[in-house]
Each structure stands twice: as C-alpha cells, then as structure tokens.
Amino acid sequence: MSVERLSPWQWREEILTAVTPPRSVDTVPLEQARGRVLAAAVRSPEQVPALPIAAMDGFAVRRADLTAPGTTVLPVAAELPARPGEVPDLPSGSAARIMTGAPVPRGADAVVEVEATDSDPFGPAPAVVALALESLPVPGRHVRGAGEEIPLDAPLALAGDRVGAGLVGLARTLGIDALEVLRPLRVAVVVTGDELTADSSSDRPGADPLPGAVRESNGTMLAAALAADGAHALPPRHCGDDPADLRETLDIAAGEADLVLTTGGIGHGAYDVVKLLLGERGAGTSRFVHLALRPGGPQGRGTLPGGVPVVHLPGTPVGALVGYHLFVRPLLDRDGAAPRRMLLGGEGDGLRRGPAGTVHALPGRREIAADGREVVHLVPGRRLAPYGRADSMVLLESEGPDGGGTDDSGTGPDGGAAANGWTEADGPTEAGSGELASAPERSVLVLAL
C-alpha cells in the first residue's frame, strides 16, 4: 500500500498552526516567577534613577564657579553619602562632597572626580577643596540624569518571554512584587496497547514476563519530558485495544487536561485502536499521516470532546520520544524547541544511505572541541538504549541510495536543502547500524534534549 509521506517540518508547522491549547493566566509573587513565561508585557512604573545621581565619587559643583585651565578653591558646604534623606541645595560659590549613587543637589550641574582634587578620598570631608582642571567639565559630567537608565513606562520584557534572574532583579528594583505568567499546560498522556503491563510489586527487574507482555514506559517517559518543559503532567492513563474503553479514557482525559497525548494505535494494523476510533473510519476527528521520518513516521492530531486538542504519537518508546521533541515540545516552548546547527564529529559518523528525503532522528552527545567549537557525536546503540546518555537529537536527512539530493519535501526549518548543508547525512532507524561512508566535516541540525 502506497502512503504519501509528509516532511516532518511540514507536519511541525501544521501542528503549530492547528493545535492551540488554551492558556490561563496566574499572578504569582516575584520570588516564584523565575522560569515561568510572561502572559503580558512588563513596563516600568517609574523612572530610574528617580532623580539625578552622582556617577562618580567627587565634588558636586556649579560650572559657573570654576576656573579652567587652573585651580579653583571652594568651601565644602555639605557631604552627601549614598543614603536616603533630604539633600540641601548647593549654595553658589561652594562644592559638596558626594559619593557614587547619591542624589545631586539642586544647583549643581557637574561632578568633579575626587582624583582631580586635593581631597583625601578616605578621610573626612575637608573644609575647602582645590579642584585642578585643564578644561571646564561638560554640563552633566559624571551625573546620571533622571530616567537615564529606565524611562517611565519603558518596556522591560514582552509577553512570551521567560522570566530570568535579570527580570526578577529589575522588577524588584522598580517595586514590582508580582508578575502575570502563563499557567502551565495540563497535559494528559493516554498510553494504548493490550500488551503493556503497569508497574506492580510482581513486575520487578529479572521477573519472567508473560509471553508477549511489555513493561509500559511511555507514560512515565513523556511525563518526565513534559515536566522538564514546564508543563503540568497529569498521571498517565493506560488503555487497552478496546475502542469503547479508549473512548471512555479519552473523555476523562479531555475533561481534566488542556492537551492530550496518546501513544500507540496509529499504524496500519487491524488492532490500531486510536486510528480505528478517531480516524476516517471512525469519528473522523483526527488526521493521521505517515512522515518521512525514522523513527516516528506515524503521527496524528485532532480534537476531543470540548475542543481539547490531542496529538497522537507512535507506540514505540523511541518513536514517542522523537515525536514528542519534534511536535509536542514546540507547543510548550517554541523557541527552546528550535533546532540549531553544529558540527557532526567523531570517527565513524560518516554519510549513510537511505530513501531520499527521509529525516533520521539519532541520539547525540555534545561537547566543546579543542578549537572551541561545539560538536555533536552520535551515541551508538539501538532504539531507546542510547538515549540513556544522549543530550541531543541529531536530525540527518538521507542522500538517497544513489547519493542524489532531495525533493521539496526535504526542506528543513531554516529553508535549506542539500545545497545548504542540511541534507548531508543519513542514519537508519537505530543508531550505530548501517553501512558507513567517509564524509568531510559538516554541520547538522541538532535539538537539545
């Protein structure tokens, strides 16, 4: 049976366009906001500094009282440390010793640095000070004007920005004690398959499993991935291959979640219950495709009762993991889920052959090379095993069995095809197997896990 294969990048864009989980807003104390995503822009409620302050230890003066070039001797009318309190005006014909950060007195229009005076910077304020100048200071010299750092109502961060330590410090500086942030998406994971067994006291390492039984791992794995990406992962639910049971389980999941993920049951077999229930021969509420992607070719999306979006992932653990990072993670953190380029290194990581246009997702591990460049190496192993050590997913596109390029379906997220260096390598479904050929140094697309 011939099945049209979509590019994973086409499917990724379709998911981002069609799947829009609702986002609620929380107002949280500043101390709890780090790592959250802003729901609204943050603007400055006041200007910083609030009034002119000294940018240098020295003496606040009126430029009109100075002689330059030459030395001017002025009485010291006040000492102004950087602390709260009233600041007296500066009398004409006098100077005020001032510290960095202290408000500049009215009447002063410059600060002369202490190094240009005869004053001991560590001693008490002198009665008089001699200021030796080669030229008159420009107006406002060593004075930070009101609003110079942050004007009133200036944008500090935009909706969608992630709150970091810098914004927390900035907000505290401005007296902002709470931020509006997006509430973490509640995501339900429904794992299907009669062959799967849940954890129990008898399901222990080394125990003899029933023939055909497989320990269920997708729910725990995806819950961990969701939590790492800031989502609220609900306890995973397991359902067998009975359509009525699946319908009931999905109804429950849709009632408690903003987004539902399913794993398994979306292939071309007689027992693929998810496709049977929701596909064109069932409710018709989900669309199922087969992508030019290994592993993780079968994928799907749709809606459940109440309009809750659902994303369908393959049942194999490695396929579910690949599908999650390529198609679900962008819904949670679009910028953080964007692939970036780096060098593919390591002996034996040469070109591979396969059907033209197929993208192979392979486990990788990043390191900084001796020359300071970031390099990713493929981690050997089969199926999920190498992901125990992998910190990256390397996305390699087939050249084809004859070494040819790709068609339009192979266009990557940066618009590149073979000529742009994106379609230079290929890998089989399991890393570490397949025939290798030598290749020059090349860059590849990499997703950080």
Side-chain angles (χ1 to χ4, degrees):
M1 179 175 62
S2 176
V3 179
E4 179 188 3
R5 299 193 312 160
L6 291 178
S7 157
W9 307 115
Q10 291 172 320
W11 184 246
R12 182 179 169 107
E13 287 305 313
E14 181 174 326
I15 287 281
L16 288 170
T17 301
V19 180
T20 54
R23 301 304 298 261
S24 301
V25 176
D26 285 333
T27 300
V28 300
L30 189 60
E31 295 77 10
Q32 299 175 19
R34 187 195 63 79
R36 303 287 292 273
V37 176
L38 290 174
V42 180
R43 307 188 76 89
S44 173
E46 57 190 48
Q47 62 182 6
V48 176
L51 67 168
I53 62 174
M56 182 82 70
D57 293 340
F59 289 83
V61 297
R62 298 173 184 264
R63 295 171 62 253
D65 295 333
L66 302 177
T67 300
T71 299
T72 303
V73 178
L74 296 174
V76 177
E79 181 168 25
L80 304 174
R83 65 177 61 146
E86 291 295 324
V87 178
D89 293 353
L90 180 67
S92 178
S94 67
R97 186 161 97 156
I98 193 167
M99 301 297 128
T100 301
V104 175
R106 284 186 295 270
D109 55 8
V111 171
V112 175
E113 60 272 23
V114 69
E115 293 84 355
T117 73
D118 65 348
S119 174
D120 178 1
F122 305 106
V128 297
V129 63
L131 304 99
L133 303 173
E134 297 182 359
S135 60
L136 281 177
V138 297
R141 178 172 173 80
H142 298 321
V143 176
R144 292 173 54 203
E148 179 181 304
E149 182 179 343
I150 307 173
L152 177 66
D153 200 38
L156 308 176
L158 304 179
D161 289 348
R162 193 169 295 278
V163 179
L167 181 58
V168 170
L170 188 57
R172 184 69 186 89
T173 297
L174 293 163
I176 300 172
D177 57 9
L179 294 174
E180 290 187 348
V181 296
L182 295 177
R183 185 174 300 165
L185 279 178
R186 298 167 302 164
V187 184
V189 179
V190 175
V191 181
T192 68
D194 283 338
E195 74 279 14
L196 302 178
T197 62
D199 290 337
S200 68
S201 58
S202 62
D203 183 24
R204 63 188 184 279
D208 292 331
L210 292 173
V214 177
R215 287 193 183 97
E216 196 288 298
S217 60
N218 282 347
T220 305
M221 177 180 68
L222 293 177
L226 288 162
D229 289 324
H232 176 200
L234 300 173
R237 296 180 178 275
H238 173 235
C239 177
D241 292 330
D242 179 80
D245 289 345
L246 177 59
R247 168 54 70 193
E248 181 180 355
T249 302
L250 290 176
D251 286 347
I252 295 172
E256 62 186 10
D258 304 308
L259 172 68
V260 175
L261 308 181
T262 69
T263 70
I266 60 173
H268 305 293
Y271 294 94
D272 286 313
V273 63
V274 176
K275 181 182 281 189
L276 179 65
L277 179 68
L278 303 177
E280 58 185 11
R281 296 187 180 182
T285 55
S286 287
R287 163 170 151 80
F288 296 96
V289 296
H290 197 96
L291 306 180
L293 174 67
R294 294 182 180 176
Q299 299 286 336
R301 65 166 182 84
T303 56
L304 297 174
V308 176
V310 58
V311 176
H312 306 294
L313 301 174
T316 62
V318 67
L321 185 65
V322 168
Y324 171 84
H325 282 287
L326 285 176
F327 310 122
V328 178
R329 190 174 166 199
L331 300 173
L332 309 174
D333 180 13
R334 183 161 187 168
D335 293 336
R340 58 192 179 93
R341 288 193 171 276
M342 65 183 65
L343 292 177
L344 178 65
E347 295 182 5
D349 292 345
L351 295 177
R352 302 169 187 259
R353 309 301 184 196
T358 299
V359 175
H360 295 261
L362 302 172
R365 194 169 176 87
R366 289 166 284 146
E367 68 174 26
I368 302 300
D371 60 4
R373 294 184 295 179
E374 193 171 22
V375 177
V376 63
H377 298 267
L378 298 183
V379 179
R382 299 179 67 84
R383 298 187 181 273
L384 193 64
Y387 282 97
R389 294 196 64 242
D391 62 11
S392 307
M393 187 176 292
V394 182
L395 304 171
L396 306 178
E397 187 173 340
S398 300
E399 271 200 340
D402 58 355
T406 64
D407 55 24
D408 290 342
S409 66
T411 301
D414 55 2
N420 289 332
W422 194 74
T423 61
E424 295 176 278
D426 169 55
T429 302
E430 292 88 16
S433 64
E435 182 180 354
L436 298 178
S438 61
E441 183 181 82
R442 61 200 180 279
S443 69
V444 294
L445 286 174
V446 175
L447 277 172
L449 301 183

